[in-house]
Amino acid sequence: MSEEGPFRRLLNYMRPHRRTVRLASFCSIFNKFWDLAPPLLIGLAVDVVVLREDSTLASVGVVDPWHQLVLLSVLTFLIWGLESLFEYFYGVLWRNLAQTVQHELRLDTFDHVQQQGMAWFDERQKGDILAILNDDINQLERFLDKGANDLLQVSTTVIVVGAVFLLISWQVALFAVLPIPLIVWGSFRYQRSLEPRYATVRAAAGQMNALLENDLSGMATVQSFTAEANELRRVEALSDAYREANREAIRLSAAFTPLIRMAILVGFTATLLLGGWFTLEGTMAVGAYSVLVFMTQRLLWPLTRLGETFDLYQRAMASSTRVLDVLASPIELKQGTFEPEDEAEKTSPISLSDVTFGYPDRTVLFDKLSLSFEAGKTTGVVGSTGAGKTSLIRLLLRFAEPQDGDIVWCGAPLDTWNLQVLRSSIALVDQHITLFPTTIMENIRYGRPSATDEEVIEAAAVAEAASFVRLLPKGWETLVGEGGHRLSGGQRQRVAIARAVLKDAPLLVLDEATSAVDNETEAALQRSIERISRDRTTIVIAHRLSTVRHADRILVFEEGQVVEDGTHDSLVVEDGVYARLWSVQTGDTR
Ligand code: CTP
Ligand code: MG
């Protein structure tokens, strides 16, 4: 949270548009200015018909009453024209500004979110971030669309009407304009009391969004556990919390309008009685009296609308706090500048020395871990579940940062690397595969967007994917569905391998990449992978030991430590953890 108020922060954010804001404000104010002129015209007209040659207009040189009326008509035309013109311009300016600001804010926020480290995402819920990128930004759009103009026009009205009253009769002004400070004071009180309530409303909306997002993406789990009623209750509870938070805000904001109307009633009655009395006494002109009566009317509507406008304002501020907080959350991932020389990655090992790492609120996972992945060789990594194999990869990609120690590649610690260069040097097939809801062709092309169709198909052949794709009715144009769920687990894996093959990066990492394919396909994949990993640093993580059997070297992990290290043959002879696993998997019970 920043020390500044949300409004200041928003203004700061909108600084590049300050010229548009100024121009739009100018148009709003001038539109109101001309909009307030008709009561004066009516006053002048009454003045003409009552006083004829002695009217106010006569005193500026137009003596004939008929000429005075013609002059008034011309003025009326002019003023209405100007009013409409400014109305058009403020409409266009504010509404386009609202669109531009929401567009830029959404892009900036998403860009910022994309640069966050994985730890940032671990702390948050996707649905809540979604709510910020959608609802909260839209809330801001609604305020800029209408609210800013309303606030400016109310202020203009109060100032102009106040000035006209003062010019005509300070005594009436005293009573009619007196309630206005009261209204402003009430508004401020009201505004402050609503602020925390709308913050609660927005937080509740974010939580509900998160739950809905979870439920929808886990629908198969929900249904298989017949937990629908339970989920409905959870949604109901959060939706109810949202409603309650709003109810609180509504209670306060609804009372506002009647209160303001009462205050204006006092001003209106004062004008009616006091002004009428002065006119009867002959100390105030009939025309001036009409101006005052019509002017108080002009106060009524904008001021009663103030409740709505403040409501919009408060909601927008609660939302912009959420958006700007995301935008202000520091990017903890340090960006470096190191870029290796051409081909250096292919000949340089990746060395970890004394790396200490643990997840937040967990015990230390790697305690002074030192090891090295040889360049151009294939290293198999095995070990029991939770041993830290995937975490090791996360460190290499800098999805997580070690608390201590260094990981060095091409002579430079990873945190001095240009992050994008580092990540484009690693082709990863993740343990949890994510495909995008598009065609198989486009999913594979994700590995290298510039690749031709032929290159995509070639990569698919290496990944043993081409054969199954050809059997699909729509072939390469088959849509894979959200997350790739319209493919089988093994098909998904092969598409992901093809994607990584196409990337053609110096370091290839396969994390349980073939766990879901049948033995026959695995054996075929094995041969392809062997071929493409020939002159490439490759890390293969697997539970199925046959996958790593032919690796140049195998590391056995237990609780974040390397407990065994060697080739398949040497490890079998060593008769330790690996040998035991091997005999279990080959069915050799000894
Ligand atoms: N862990 C964690 N926070 C994460 C990811 C993992 O606290 N964001 C923990 C896990 O609970 C586990 C340990 O870190 O205790 C190691 O996890 P991981 O590296 O994923 O283990 P793997 O060896 O990859 O296990 P598996 O074979 O099951 O994939
Ligand atoms: Mg893992």
Side-chain angles (χ1 to χ4, degrees), residues 31-53:
N31 162 261
K32 200 65 215 175
F33 209 69
W34 301 120
D35 178 53
L36 287 171
L40 284 175
L41 291 174
I42 293 171
L44 286 173
V46 171
D47 199 49
V48 170
V49 295
V50 173
L51 297 177
R52 293 163 181 267
E53 279 85 2

Side-chain angles (χ1 to χ4, degrees), residues 511-528:
D511 189 355
E512 289 290 341
T514 55
S515 58
V517 300
D518 58 70
N519 289 327
E520 208 176 315
T521 311
E522 213 226 343
L525 260 173
Q526 204 81 55
R527 288 190 290 276
S528 312

